[in-house]
Amino acid sequence: MPDKEDIKSVDPATLEMLEKAAQDGCSTAFDRAARMSPCPIGATGNCCSICGMGPCRVPLAKGKEETAEEKKKRRGVCGATAETIAARNFVRMIAAGTAAHGDHGRVMAKLFLDVAQGKAPGYQIKDEQKLLQLALDLGVTIGDRSNEEIAVDCAKLLMAEFGKQEGELLFLKRAPIKRQELWRKLGIAPRGVDIEVTEAMHRTHMGTDQDYKDLLNFGSKVSLADGWGGSMVGTEVQDIIFGTPAPVLSQINLGVLKEDEVNVIIHGHEPQLAEMMAIASRDPELIAYAKTKGAKGINLAGMCCTANEMLMRHGVPIAGNFLQQELAIVTGALEAIVVDVQCIMQGLADTANCYHTKVITTDPRAKIQGAVHMPFDEHHGLESATAIIRAAVDNYPNRRGNVRIPSQKTDMIAGFSHETINYLLGGMFRASYRPLNDNIINGRIRGVAGVVGCNNPRTTHDAADLIMVKELIKNDVLVLQTGCMAMASAKAGLMVPEAAEFAGEGLRSVCEAVGIPPVLHVGACIDNSRILIAATAMVKEGGLGDDISDLPVAGAAPEWMAEKAIAIGQYFVASGVYTVFGTTFPTLGSKEASEFLFKDMEQMYGGMWAFENDPLKAAHLMIDHIDKKRKALGIDKSRERILYDMAMRRDLEAV
Ligand code: XCC
């Protein structure tokens, strides 16, 4: 793939704005990354900074053969080995990622309770079916009780999941039985969300757990408290109170900003504010107010995962992914960038100083020096959102004339929740995964891949995603995407049904029959829990083995950067999925720790990690894994037959 020195992005809008930023004398993450190379010791997990005796640097052994004597010298002051240090750092990343998703899920569960108790005006229970299904899953009595009464009980149970001290997370029961039994056997079935994060911090404290295998195995337990805990609670509740996503048409890229309107971007992860912003931005009074300031209207767009949430449920356009956050300001046409939590660069405040943009923080947990803080209160949601939009409108006359909005905006379809896939494939009256399983068994679809995660300025923006995704669909692998990688593919036009032309013949025929793109937008990063549910539905539908690890599926995060991505990767692996990361990998400084993740975990979990920086090679690692699983299931021959049939058909056509 192209070196980051050669090309910063494959997205023309991004390149255009980088040029403008340079002209305007404004620096971005791309410039900062070029100025500062990553610390070579920290990047591979070899720096231990958890106590005051260090930080200790214990790099990888030099040369191939290391004597026992040499190995003894490669230790931290406390005697910690490279593998212990790498494992500790890795587990701390998992804990941080799990904490971030968990805190998001907790806020949603509390909002759910407030909504049910009538304490959060403006919000409501939108998806009754999903509420009732949740009640059934949680063992909450339905009877002739009102939705609100049922919701109060469900919300209390979900809130208790965070502080639970013993037993098991309730959603583990949603996994295939065999998987649940494996987790129990290995002692990695999480008890609660918070307790696993806390224990991870304790175990990785100086002088506690110093067996790298034990540490990494515990990391699995923590990560499962994310995927089948905090994240799943978040997704579930959001669907109930904001609506379960269904296919929706929208647009993506910086070209969605409008020259003659008040532009407001909402950026971050938790959608409770964004929901109210969507309502406030359509308020006729506010629109009239914007007109008094000379604007034609109010244009709301999203960025990062809040964007995914707003897109999936309201069709609100997306201005861009992670590395485009500063570039939206560089257009000179952005009145306010309104942020909540996670993935918000501190650099936004500096970039905003070059233009007129207001950076508005809204969450008590995430303030930025130099930004304006306008606290968002869910109990008065609409008032808070209205005040924020007003502030943006008031800023419109301050535009400095230095406006350039890239023309790029691409059509996309999003909203492929588990329920939608079920419905689209099976129909309203017989919603099921049967057609998907059948098409996998008959070989038209070779397998399914989840390609998720962030952007990272250490690799060409969006490039690895596009190379990987195109290769996968070309080889008949149906791709499910979340987060910033979903946006990369959408910008390149892969999320419309017409993109089926890039797919192999088998996948194309299925996409055309159903009318879906070969690359499905499944949501925000917490919605990776939807992929776990979809994989489980495939197992339960039958014909593809009896555990997630039997399925011809694979996962990847080719441009990851956040600790959350490591938590996600680990819960995919511990759920039985082969998972390939690109760009960098945080344990490479220890051969032993890496081998445990890259090899031994497969024996334990049926899923394992891999690191491959070349996205084309990574795609083929995934395809090879999918083929290995097809063979084990005894369905490899059906695919050969299909290919033979196609060749025969081509021969016939040639006659
Ligand atoms: Fe953040 Fe979720 Fe990564 Fe994008 S993909 S950079 S985590 S916004 Ni989640």
Side-chain angles (χ1 to χ4, degrees):
M1 64 174 295
D3 189 80
K4 77 162 185 68
E5 299 298 332
D6 300 325
I7 175 167
K8 289 185 167 159
S9 174
V10 291
D11 168 36
T14 297
L15 292 174
E16 187 184 339
M17 284 305 99
L18 284 175
E19 203 186 293
K20 182 171 186 293
Q23 281 164 10
D24 297 349
C26 185
S27 87
T28 66
F30 291 87
D31 306 310
R32 294 189 292 271
R35 263 203 312 272
M36 181 175 56
S37 44
C39 163
I41 299 175
T44 50
N46 296 111
C47 175
C48 185
S49 63
I50 64 167
C51 82
M53 295 191 286
C56 298
R57 289 152 297 156
V58 183
L60 199 61
K62 286 201 187 83
K64 278 188 201 133
E65 297 304 326
E66 185 183 37
T67 63
E69 217 33 55
E70 283 166 336
K71 188 161 187 194
K72 262 194 210 156
K73 288 187 196 145
R74 275 195 316 110
R75 287 181 178 250
V77 175
C78 71
T81 58
E83 48 273 26
T84 295
I85 293 170
R88 271 184 192 152
N89 289 331
F90 196 71
V91 171
R92 284 198 166 196
M93 292 180 92
I94 295 172
T98 302
H101 286 145
D103 219 28
H104 175 164
R106 180 201 330 272
V107 167
M108 288 304 135
K110 175 70 173 62
L111 179 61
F112 186 28
L113 183 63
D114 286 348
V115 172
Q117 293 176 332
K119 292 183 193 160
Y123 301 100
Q124 53 184 291
I125 290 165
K126 280 212 179 132
D127 190 336
E128 185 187 33
Q129 276 312 311
K130 194 136 183 171
L131 170 69
L132 298 180
Q133 184 57 54
L134 176 68
L136 285 176
D137 288 358
L138 297 178
V140 167
T141 310
I142 296 177
D144 53 5
R145 299 201 307 159
S146 71
N147 281 349
E148 285 67 27
E149 285 170 315
I150 297 167
V152 166
D153 285 357
C154 290
K156 284 185 177 166
L157 277 172
L158 292 185
M159 282 177 69
E161 288 295 87
F162 294 91
K164 209 158 79 182
Q165 302 296 308
E166 50 192 23
E168 273 178 17
L169 282 175
L170 297 168
F171 283 155
L172 296 192
K173 294 217 166 48
R174 289 181 164 181
I177 302 282
K178 207 170 159 191
R179 182 70 17 193
Q180 295 178 39
E181 283 166 358
L182 181 69
W183 290 333
R184 282 176 203 128
K185 196 178 107 206
L186 295 171
I188 58 168
R191 298 156 286 182
V193 179
D194 298 352
I195 193 173
E196 307 309 351
V197 174
T198 304
E199 188 172 323
M201 296 309 286
H202 177 197
R203 279 181 183 242
T204 56
H205 184 275
M206 189 271 146
T208 309
D209 197 354
Q210 286 150 107
D211 173 334
Y212 73 96
K213 293 185 182 178
D214 199 50
L215 276 164
L216 291 171
N217 206 30
F218 186 76
S220 293
K221 189 172 184 176
V222 186
S223 73
L224 291 170
D226 177 356
W228 298 85
S231 282
M232 202 171 275
V233 168
T235 297
E236 200 73 17
V237 168
Q238 287 172 191
D239 282 356
I240 293 171
I241 56 182
F242 305 137
T244 300
V248 60
L249 177 70
S250 191
Q251 288 188 315
I252 182 165
N253 215 341
L254 291 167
V256 304
L257 298 179
K258 294 186 179 156
E259 195 143 357
D260 49 7
E261 294 195 16
V262 174
N263 289 305
V264 183
I265 283 182
I266 169 125
H267 167 31
H269 283 77
E270 293 179 2
Q272 68 275 34
L273 160 66
E275 283 287 324
M276 288 297 143
M277 296 274 290
I279 297 170
S281 67
R282 291 191 293 260
D283 177 359
E285 247 179 62
L286 278 175
I287 294 171
Y289 183 57
K291 287 186 178 158
T292 67
K293 303 281 176 185
K296 286 204 172 133
I298 299 168
N299 181 36
L300 186 67
M303 188 142 266
C304 287
C305 278
T306 302
N308 284 324
E309 305 278 9
M310 300 303 294
L311 164 80
M312 299 262 287
R313 298 195 177 88
H314 299 284
V316 169
I318 298 186
N321 51 6
F322 177 68
L323 280 179
Q324 291 179 287
Q325 55 186 282
E326 292 165 308
L327 303 179
I329 297 177
V330 173
T331 61
L334 187 61
E335 275 56 59
I337 184 157
V338 183
V339 302
D340 51 78
V341 291
Q342 301 169 25
C343 301
I344 300 145
M345 291 192 196
Q346 186 169 356
L348 286 180
D350 268 352
T351 313
N353 279 335
C354 302
Y355 306 91
H356 75 301
T357 309
K358 271 197 162 93
V359 180
I360 302 178
T361 56
T362 59
D363 193 289
R365 296 164 295 177
K367 295 185 182 170
I368 300 176
Q369 243 186 339
V372 185
H373 189 66
M374 296 183 73
F376 176 72
D377 175 4
E378 292 92 351
H379 305 106
H380 305 280
L382 199 53
E383 286 107 281
S384 300
T386 302
I388 292 169
I389 299 253
R390 260 185 174 272
V393 171
D394 286 336
N395 198 24
Y396 183 77
N398 298 329
R399 275 200 197 173
R400 297 183 189 167
N402 179 16
V403 170
R404 178 153 36 120
I405 300 175
S407 59
Q408 283 79 15
K409 52 180 170 186
T410 312
D411 283 346
M412 67 180 298
I413 293 177
F416 293 95
S417 55
H418 154 69
E419 289 79 357
T420 297
I421 297 174
N422 210 10
Y423 162 69
L424 280 177
L425 290 171
M428 193 186 302
F429 300 109
R430 54 184 176 88
S432 91
Y433 272 60
R434 192 69 252 154
L436 176 64
N437 283 24
D438 284 346
N439 277 306
I440 291 174
I441 292 165
N442 70 27
R444 282 196 192 93
I445 295 177
R446 190 178 198 148
V448 181
V451 180
V452 307
C454 326
N455 293 136
N456 186 328
R458 302 292 175 199
T459 186
T460 303
H461 171 233
D462 290 349
D465 172 77
L466 296 185
I467 294 168
M468 175 180 279
V469 169
K470 284 183 178 167
E471 191 63 17
L472 289 169
I473 60 173
K474 191 172 106 190
N475 284 282
D476 294 316
V477 176
L478 177 69
V479 175
L480 307 183
Q481 293 206 270
T482 59
C484 290
M485 289 297 89
M487 300 183 196
S489 297
K491 281 185 277 176
L494 295 175
M495 289 192 172
V496 285
E498 297 74 33
E501 68 173 285
F502 301 115
E505 215 161 321
L507 177 61
R508 190 168 73 211
S509 67
V510 176
C511 289
E512 283 171 355
V514 185
I516 53 170
V519 184
L520 302 181
H521 192 305
V522 180
C525 297
I526 63 153
D527 295 329
N528 284 316
S529 59
R530 293 188 201 278
I531 299 182
L532 298 176
I533 296 291
T536 304
M538 287 165 70
V539 172
K540 291 186 177 164
E541 190 56 50
L544 292 174
D546 50 13
D547 196 356
I548 295 174
S549 54
D550 295 331
L551 296 171
V553 301
E559 302 179 33
W560 78 278
M561 64 86 203
E563 289 164 317
K564 291 178 289 174
I566 295 293
I568 293 167
Q570 186 62 58
Y571 75 61
F572 267 95
V573 168
S575 299
V577 181
Y578 175 75
T579 304
V580 192
F581 270 38
T583 309
T584 179
F585 200 85
T587 62
L588 292 179
S590 160
K591 199 161 149 275
E592 291 87 347
S594 298
E595 276 191 3
F596 189 71
L597 296 169
F598 297 164
K599 289 198 186 123
D600 301 358
M601 281 201 170
E602 189 171 35
Q603 256 87 57
M604 298 165 69
Y605 309 137
M608 63 172 177
W609 287 93
F611 170 62
E612 175 51 68
N613 205 9
D614 179 332
L616 200 59
K617 283 192 193 149
H620 280 281
L621 288 176
M622 295 161 83
I623 293 166
D624 289 350
H625 177 81
I626 283 170
D627 285 350
K628 185 172 102 181
K629 293 293 169 185
R630 292 188 66 87
K631 192 156 187 221
L633 288 165
I635 55 171
D636 48 329
K637 297 284 177 288
S638 60
R639 203 177 140 71
E640 281 165 24
R641 198 161 57 237
I642 279 240
L643 293 174
Y644 179 62
D645 285 347
M646 285 176 190
M648 279 186 6
R649 211 160 53 217
R650 268 195 296 276
D651 287 349
L652 282 175
E653 279 164 7
V655 173

